[in-house]
């Protein structure tokens, strides 16, 4: 009895921001809706989430109310009429099969673009000589950096001045990821050891990182500031340690920062190291 | 609901209590404390006369008096010894004790939150996850740290330890803690120093103990003054070593602009790298003997590092005993010279870091200091400052060197490079 | 049916409890059983931190007030009761009794052209007369004021050489006033690696035909092992001392320590690589126990004490 009542209460109080979601004793701390969104595509993802939440919420409340109604309406102490058993109703079965099927199909079709934008259609640098998108001569936007998951940290590598990885001017960092704001960013993600999941909550981006497989993720951040990087796949005892920091900043700031990091990496004098601190 | 009779309920409650009782056995009936270094104690025991329990109890009391407990670390109040100049009392307390957050949201118990599960409460490198890691976590109690700006035998500076915390140690399980606030990093550095001092003082006291006559205590009512002096000497010796670390930092000679990747032309860099290639295979630097002809780290595979070597007495029974006391699974792991082609540099990839590895050697890991030329004796074979930068450039270029490059002619042809190419 | 289900649920709970027991707790607590005793800890702490005017309770109180606040004059040696009446020589011979055990064979794993293909680990070298080589005899805790000038003023370099992957001196002591010059007479590189407890550590690559210098600021209490990481079978022992009161037995087992302070009781110690401190000896036919290698002697001024030491071969197993 308690479970459906609590369930409905959670839904309603969350929607109207009542206790325990705000104020009062034993209230849940912090924000209970999705974290602040800083990405271009995030609004679509959030919209889908909220749409699905609304649909499932409405169905959940309706089902619960119906169940209660039946419980009360056919209480044995108030009803002397014997129970009548129905063995199947073709019409009802068609209705409760077709309605969800249509809803699911709708969601599947409705979200297709979102999925394709976020996960399939990697941004292009140019469409190639033939002037047509989706052909073999398309040139993909090269990754700005590479993130490698390792028990238990995120290794970050920028290609350096020559824009090429695996050259001596690569810039190596750990857990500290910087990107320019208002630009489409591609990141190559890899794993050194086990399954990790590279998760940028504020960018609405989460991708499993598979050992032996190089994948690309892309997004555009619209706000400057620092945000979290977390691992969303239980990757071992130190999984909780895999926290990183995403800093979104202006192109100038980003380039200045990257230049500093390169200089720091080439430090060959103690005085220079002391000056850095 | 009918089947839940009275008997059943009481049975259930009894079972729950029993379960809790069984579960709690062994938990919490002993407070958390720093443990004695039983490996070291065992290794320094007279083969004929074992240490008496009273002697070890006395040792444990002395250590408790000087260093306190994991919940309440003690900074010895003796300005002549000066522990308080090395570790900050408040920072130490921030790092020690159980994990909790104060109402202002400040984290306490940092060591147990971030470090203890690998490095152990006593800093013995035998925390609960230690056995699953390769390499094993560092045991601070020897007072030896590998990646530092000071030579073998000297202690790391604060900034060396900070760097290790901030950047982690690539290629090992030590992660980066770059996102922790500055005061938390400082607290952890101080706590690691504290544990290391505690461990090294303990080791030295065990050596003193092994030099005493049978059954004699470090300090007793009869030997009060001598014992006090012995303890003070042991503590101040280790503290002095830590205090002088800053003055032992190796300051690199200037790097000629033709060997500095930021200023050298492509051609100059190439020449520098080629000179480094010959130095790597020469009989002055001798890098190839351990790191291998192809720098894959396969030249010398049967050594142990200083921590593991201690567990390798010739007697197999004793060996097994020490391994189990140290909580290291068999077989003991050999020391691997670094594979220089992976581009993973445990102590950092900056030229400065590699300079320090070469000029200081790597403490605890057999890597020697390179021999340098002597300006007063032109006949002495050695490396010049510019040779060092060439060698550093070659080492840093190794991950990008093509593997199809033929091996250095042959082992007998290792030449001494006298003239720049 | 009911009883069975109850029984099985209890056993499940107990099982879960046992699981908590094995997984949840620090199951390593019992490595040492010497938890600090809080009473002794606080007593010791006040002993160590006493500033002079604190009154200590309990039995550790003792006679602290005498020296409190006085930084110097703590050691007995600063104000020796008696002074030496002159100088004397201690000499003797160390002989093995019985058949010496064979030295282990070494595996020469590299540079066989230079190091040879096989070698013996010369831990125990016994001369034709049964004399044991490389036994170290030294005097312990001699105050500087007692020392003969000849035992202090040594400044020439102490030469430490290696050839054919053997340290030419297996066991050697030298004075902290001396510089140690480490040579490499081989055509390939060696590294000389040792970590004294009190003095500076050393691990330097000695280039072929090159050399390195080592100087230490402190004397050691025990001989220090010297190794070469490139040729791990190489072994030597070094012993930096602040005075010259030491000797290493020669091929016949003879040793001589001249100019020892006479007329005062001095403590000597005997050490060998295998048993470390030599404890069971026969001196001039009389069985003696030298606890931790220590034996005390009071020498007569200008006299010569001849010590004939015999050690059972069993001590070297």
């Amino acid at each position: 009895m308690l479970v459906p009542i609590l369930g409905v209460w959670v839904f309603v109080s969350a929607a109207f921001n009542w206790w325990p979601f705000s104020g009062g004793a034993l209230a849940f701390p912090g924000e209970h809706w999705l974290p602040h969104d800083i990405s271009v595509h995030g609004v679509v993802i959030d919209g889908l989430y909220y749409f699905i939440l609304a649909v499932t919420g409405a169905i959940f409340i309706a089902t619960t109310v119906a169940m209660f109604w039946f419980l009360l309406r056919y209480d044995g102490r108030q009803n002397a009429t014997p129970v009548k058993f129905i063995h199947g109703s073709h019409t009802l079965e068609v209705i409760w099969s077709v309605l969800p099927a249509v809803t699911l199909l709708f969601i599947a079709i409705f979200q297709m673009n979102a999925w394709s934008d976020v996960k399939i259609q990697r941004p292009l640098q140019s469409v190639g000589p033939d002037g047509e998108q989706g052909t073999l001569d398309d040139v993909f936007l090269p990754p700005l950096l590479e993130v490698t998951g390792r028990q238990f940290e995120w290794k970050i590598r920028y290609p350096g001045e020559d824009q090429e990885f695996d050259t001596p001017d690569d810039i190596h960092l750990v857990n500290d990821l910087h990107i320019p704001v208002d630009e489409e960013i591609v990141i190559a993600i890899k794993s050194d050891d086990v399954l990790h999941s590279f998760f940028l909550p504020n960018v609405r981006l989460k991708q499993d990182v598979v050992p032996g497989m190089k994948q690309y993720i892309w997004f555009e951040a619209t706000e400057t500031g620092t945000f979290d990087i977390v691992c969303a796949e239980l990757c071992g005892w130190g999984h909780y340690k895999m926290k990183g920091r995403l800093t979104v900043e202006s192109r100038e700031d980003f380039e200045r920062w990257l230049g500093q990091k390169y200089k720091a990496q080439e430090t060959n004098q103690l005085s220079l190291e002391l000056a850095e601190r | 609901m009918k089947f839940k009779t009275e008997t059943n309920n009481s049975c259930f409650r009894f079972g729950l209590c029993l379960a809790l009782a069984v579960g709690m056995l062994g938990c919490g009936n002993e407070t958390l404390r720093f443990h004695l270094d039983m490996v070291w104690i065992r290794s320094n025991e007279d083969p004929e006369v074992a240490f008496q329990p009273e002697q070890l109890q006395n040792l444990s009391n002395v250590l408790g008096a000087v260093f306190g407990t994991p919940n309440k670390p003690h900074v010895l109040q003796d300005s002549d010894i000066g522990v308080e100049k090395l570790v900050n009392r408040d920072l130490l307390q921030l790092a020690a004790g159980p994990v909790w957050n104060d109402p202002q949201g400040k984290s306490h118990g940092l060591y147990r939150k971030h470090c203890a599960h690998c490095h152990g409460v006593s800093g013995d490198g035998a925390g609960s996850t230690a056995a699953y890691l390769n390499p094993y976590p560092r045991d601070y109690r020897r007072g030896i740290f590998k990646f530092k700006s000071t030579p073998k035998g000297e202690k790391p500076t604060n900034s060396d330890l900070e760097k290790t915390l901030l950047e982690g140690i690539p290629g090992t399980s030590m992660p980066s803690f770059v996102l922790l606030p500055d005061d938390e990093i400082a607290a952890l550095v101080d706590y690691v120093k504290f544990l290391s001092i505690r461990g090294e003082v303990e080791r030295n006291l065990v050596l003193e103990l092994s030099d005493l006559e049978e059954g004699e205590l470090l300090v007793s009512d009869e030997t009060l003054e001598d014992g006090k002096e012995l303890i003070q000497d042991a503590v101040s010796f280790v503290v002095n070593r830590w205090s002088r670390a800053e003055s032992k930092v190796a300051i690199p000679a200037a790097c000629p602009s033709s060997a500095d990747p930021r200023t050298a032309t492509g051609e100059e860099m190439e020449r520098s790298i080629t000179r480094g290639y010959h130095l790597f295979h020469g009989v002055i630097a001798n890098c190839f003997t351990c790191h291998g002809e192809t720098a894959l780290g396969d030249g010398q595979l049967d050594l142990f590092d200083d921590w593991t070597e201690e567990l390798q007495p010739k007697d197999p029974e004793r060996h097994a005993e020490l391994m189990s006391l140290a909580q290291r699974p068999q077989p003991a792991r050999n020391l691997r010279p670094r594979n220089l082609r992976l581009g993973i540099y445990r102590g950092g990839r900056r030229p400065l870091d590699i300079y320090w590895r070469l000029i200081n050697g790597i403490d605890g890991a057999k890597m020697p200091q390179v021999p340098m030329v002597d300006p007063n004796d032109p006949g002495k074979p050695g490396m010049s400052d510019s040779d060092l930068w060439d060698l550093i450039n070659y080492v840093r270029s190794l991950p990008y060197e093509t593997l199809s490059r033929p091996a250095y002619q042959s082992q007998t042809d290792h030449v001494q490079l006298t003239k720049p190419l | 049916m009911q009883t069975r289900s109850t029984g099985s649920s209890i056993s499940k709970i107990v099982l879960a409890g046992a699981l908590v027991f094995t997984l949840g707790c620090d199951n390593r607590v019992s490595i040492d059983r010497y938890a600090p005793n809080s009473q002794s800890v606080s007593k010791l702490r006040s002993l160590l931190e006493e500033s002079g005017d604190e009154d200590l309770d309990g039995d550790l109180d003792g006679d602290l007030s005498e020296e409190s606040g006085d930084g110097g004059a703590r050691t007995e040696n600063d104000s020796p009761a008696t002074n030496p009446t002159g100088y004397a020589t201690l000499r003797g011979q160390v002989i093995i009794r019985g058949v010496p055990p064979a030295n282990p064979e070494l595996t020469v794993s590299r540079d066989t052209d230079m190091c040879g293909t096989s070698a013996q680990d010369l831990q125990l070298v016994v001369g034709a007369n049964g004399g044991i080589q490389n036994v170290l005899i030294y005097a312990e805790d001699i105050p500087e004021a007692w020392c003969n000038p000849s035992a202090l003023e040594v400044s020439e370099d102490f030469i430490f050489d290696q050839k054919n992957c053997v340290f030419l001196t297996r066991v050697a002591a030298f004075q902290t006033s001396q510089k140690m010059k480490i040579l490499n007479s081989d055509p390939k590189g060696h590294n000389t690696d040792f970590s004294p407890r009190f003095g500076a550590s050393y691990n330097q690559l000695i280039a072929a035909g090159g050399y390195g210098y080592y100087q230490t600021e402190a004397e050691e209490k025990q001989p220090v092992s010297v190794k070469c990481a490139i040729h791990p079978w190489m072994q030597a022992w070094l012993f930096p001392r602040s005075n010259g009161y030491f000797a290493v037995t020669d091929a016949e087992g003879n040793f001589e320590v001249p100019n020892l302070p006479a007329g005062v009781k001095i403590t000597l110690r005997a050490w060998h690589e295998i048993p470390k401190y030599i404890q069971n000896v026969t001196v001039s036919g009389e069985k003696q126990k030298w606890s931790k290698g220590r034996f005390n002697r009071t020498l007569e001024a200008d006299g010569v004490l001849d010590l004939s030491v015999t050690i059972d071969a069993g001590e070297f197993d």
Side-chain angles (χ1 to χ4, degrees), chain A residues 144-161:
Chain A
L144 177 75
L145 67 140
E146 180 192 83
V147 173
T148 310
R150 180 175 89 88
Q151 285 173 324
F152 298 95
E153 64 187 12
W154 299 105
K155 294 199 294 184
I156 291 160
R157 185 156 70 120
Y158 290 88
E161 211 171 38

Side-chain angles (χ1 to χ4, degrees), chain C residues 59-130:
Chain C
D59 51 355
L60 272 172
D61 168 321
D63 47 4
L64 292 179
S65 44
E66 270 175 39
E67 298 203 358
S68 52
D70 181 7
R74 269 210 188 118
T75 51
E76 49 194 285
N77 292 342
D78 286 344
S79 51
T82 48
N83 274 316
T85 51
Y87 300 101
T89 300
L90 173 78
R91 69 164 169 235
Q93 198 177 25
V94 185
I95 303 277
I96 198 162
R97 181 164 51 209
V99 184
N103 283 319
E105 282 295 319
L106 290 170
T107 5
V108 177
S109 46
R110 68 183 313 143
D111 294 337
T112 43
D113 51 336
M114 170 174 101
C115 311
T117 44
S118 71
Q120 268 198 341
D121 189 9
L122 298 175
Q123 295 174 332
L124 179 62
V125 185
V126 177
N129 60 341

